[in-house]
């Protein structure tokens, strides 16, 4: 640890960013799992080198926010979406989970129909930014829901959806992110998956895990039977079809358990409500008797 005039305390550290030094306290080190590992495993961590893809400005902002305990990242309220994304990539790499969670929400708030694809392309290959990649699809998924509401409009909506997102060319992992988007209904999710699988039938090994994303317990039995009949035409093999049927049976059991839970809660509420009603009736009767007297 340095003993220079700028680093007198054992709790003081130095970061080397693009050839220049930034001084910080242990608060910054503790905020980063990467820094903590380096301090623990490396004998001489003075200074701590920062990768060149992280700009000096980002590190200055990060140090200032952590040192001032700016848990809401108010310091970044006026910055651009591009800067937020670069900042998010940096804190993901550094393992600053607290800052990262707040930045994910800030990026989410800035995603619109005009910039969602930039966010999608910027983050889709970074494993740690899966939440932001998923959030980037929300505007286009919301638009798909709106376009598919009209009569016989689903095929046209799907075509436009594919033109904008290119979901037919998505990898299985990327399509799973699409299917996990909360704004899509379960029937619509199945239609998306069906269209995708017709063009990607070689991915049979992934199809069951993607089908499991759909909440079949929320669908009517008639729709579920329709879906089972459709899946049987996909030539995925008897074993996978049987596994899918097991998924359906599990979903039906879960639905029945949910209904029974609701019934039990209702019974409990009625038990609590009945004494109050009885008391109210007695009070009303007493009042009537009193008025007659």
């Amino acid at each position: 640890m340095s003993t220079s005039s700028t680093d007198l305390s054992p709790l003081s550290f130095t970061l080397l960013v693009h050839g220049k030094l930034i001084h910080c306290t242990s608060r910054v080190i503790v905020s980063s799992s990467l820094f903590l590992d380096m301090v623990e495993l490396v004998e001489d961590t003075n200074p701590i080198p920062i990768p060149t893809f992280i700009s000096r400005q980002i590190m200055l902002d990060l140090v200032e926010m952590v040192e001032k305990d700016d848990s809401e990242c108010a310091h970044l309220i006026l910055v651009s979406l591009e800067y937020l994304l670069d900042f998010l990539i940096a804190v993901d790499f550094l393992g600053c989970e607290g800052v990262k969670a707040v930045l994910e929400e800030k990026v989410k708030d800035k995603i619109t129909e005009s910039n969602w694809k930039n966010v999608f392309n910027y983050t889709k290959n970074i494993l740690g930014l899966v939440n932001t990649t998923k959030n980037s699809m929300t505007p286009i998924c919301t638009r798909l829901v709106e376009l598919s509401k009209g009569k016989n409009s689903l095929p046209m909506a799907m075509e436009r959806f594919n033109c904008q997102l290119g979901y037919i060319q998505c990898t299985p992992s990327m399509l799973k992110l699409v299917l996990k988007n909360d704004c899509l209904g379960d029937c619509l999710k199945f239609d998306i998956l069906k269209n995708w699988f017709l063009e990607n039938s070689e991915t049979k090994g992934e199809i069951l895990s993607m089908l499991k994303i759909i909440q079949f317990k929320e669908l009517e039995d008639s729709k579920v039977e329709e879906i089972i009949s459709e899946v049987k035409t996909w030539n995925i093999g008897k074993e996978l079809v049987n596994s899918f049927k097991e998924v359906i049976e599990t979903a039906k059991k879960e639905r029945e358990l949910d209904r029974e839970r609701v019934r039990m809660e209702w019974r409990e509420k009625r038990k609590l409500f009945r004494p109050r009603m009885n008391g109210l009736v007695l009070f009303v009767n007493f009042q009537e008797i009193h008025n007659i007297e």
Side-chain angles (χ1 to χ4, degrees):
M1 210 62 60
S2 173
T3 57
S4 67
S5 59
T6 57
D7 188 11
L8 299 175
S9 166
L11 297 179
S12 182
F13 295 84
T14 306
L15 310 176
L16 180 62
V17 189
H18 292 269
K20 296 183 179 181
L21 299 179
I22 297 176
H23 301 284
C24 65
T25 69
S26 58
R27 290 175 68 103
V28 174
I29 305 304
V30 171
S31 73
S32 163
S33 59
L34 179 64
F35 289 163
L36 282 174
D37 289 342
M38 292 180 69
V39 169
E40 181 180 343
L41 299 174
V42 181
E43 216 171 285
D44 184 10
T45 56
N46 184 41
I48 297 174
I50 304 300
T52 54
F53 75 86
I54 301 177
S55 72
R56 179 174 171 79
Q57 187 59 54
I58 284 175
M59 287 309 303
L60 286 170
D61 285 338
L62 178 61
V63 168
E64 182 175 355
M65 287 188 298
V66 174
E67 298 287 16
K68 292 183 176 180
D69 195 22
D70 180 10
S71 59
E72 296 301 317
C73 298
H75 189 73
L76 303 178
I77 193 169
L78 297 177
V79 301
S80 67
L81 175 61
E82 289 73 17
Y83 186 74
L84 282 177
L85 287 170
D86 287 337
F87 210 123
L88 185 57
I89 291 170
V91 295
D92 173 62
F93 177 82
L94 296 173
C96 302
E97 294 302 318
V99 178
K100 178 182 172 182
V102 178
L103 282 175
E104 283 178 333
E105 289 302 311
K106 286 190 174 295
V107 170
K108 181 180 178 181
D109 291 341
K110 284 182 175 286
I111 297 173
T112 66
E113 280 195 46
S114 63
N115 64 25
W116 72 268
K117 199 162 190 176
N118 292 335
V119 179
F120 175 79
N121 290 329
Y122 213 75
T123 62
K124 66 181 180 181
N125 296 319
I126 304 175
L127 185 62
L129 303 188
V130 63
N131 288 338
T132 298
T133 304
K134 177 185 171 184
N135 291 336
S136 73
M137 300 177 192
T138 298
I140 189 62
C141 288
T142 302
R143 177 63 65 186
L144 173 62
V145 172
E146 294 171 357
L147 291 173
S148 62
K149 286 180 179 178
K151 185 179 180 181
N152 300 322
S153 60
L154 183 58
M156 187 182 298
M158 285 291 187
E159 184 178 347
R160 180 172 174 181
F161 186 55
N162 185 49
C163 287
Q164 293 185 299
L165 181 61
Y167 80 92
I168 293 297
Q169 288 76 43
C170 279
T171 62
S173 59
M174 289 305 302
L175 189 72
K176 286 177 183 179
L177 289 181
V178 176
L179 298 177
K180 288 177 181 178
N181 199 288
D182 296 334
C183 71
L184 297 175
D186 291 298
C187 290
L188 192 51
K189 287 179 181 180
F190 180 76
D191 286 325
I192 291 171
L193 178 56
K194 178 178 69 174
N195 287 348
W196 178 86
F197 185 71
L198 290 175
E199 300 294 330
N200 298 273
S201 56
E202 71 281 359
T203 59
K204 293 179 181 179
E206 299 279 354
I207 195 64
L208 187 62
S209 62
M210 288 190 275
L211 283 166
K212 286 181 178 179
I213 295 172
I214 300 169
Q215 296 294 309
F216 293 102
K217 68 178 183 179
E218 305 295 337
L219 302 178
E220 297 291 335
D221 286 342
S222 58
K223 183 61 182 178
V224 172
E225 292 303 318
E226 183 183 321
I227 288 174
I228 293 174
S229 298
E230 174 63 36
V231 171
K232 285 180 179 178
T233 68
W234 292 359
N235 296 319
I236 58 176
K238 187 175 181 181
E239 185 176 344
L240 279 176
V241 170
N242 287 337
S243 296
F244 176 55
K245 287 181 177 178
E246 290 177 8
V247 170
I248 296 297
E249 289 305 312
T250 299
K252 289 180 178 179
K253 290 176 182 177
E254 289 177 356
R255 181 175 61 188
E256 190 53 42
L257 285 173
D258 288 345
R259 288 176 176 174
E260 182 59 30
R261 192 178 300 113
V262 170
R263 284 193 288 265
M264 289 180 65
E265 289 175 357
W266 176 241
R267 291 191 195 104
E268 290 300 317
K269 287 179 180 178
R270 287 185 66 184
K271 287 179 182 178
L272 293 172
F273 186 65
R274 190 176 292 116
R276 295 180 185 176
M277 285 300 297
N278 290 340
L280 180 60
V281 170
L282 288 172
F283 175 75
V284 170
N285 289 339
F286 174 80
Q287 286 291 98
E288 289 178 350
I289 294 170
H290 179 73
N291 291 335
I292 291 172
E293 293 176 349

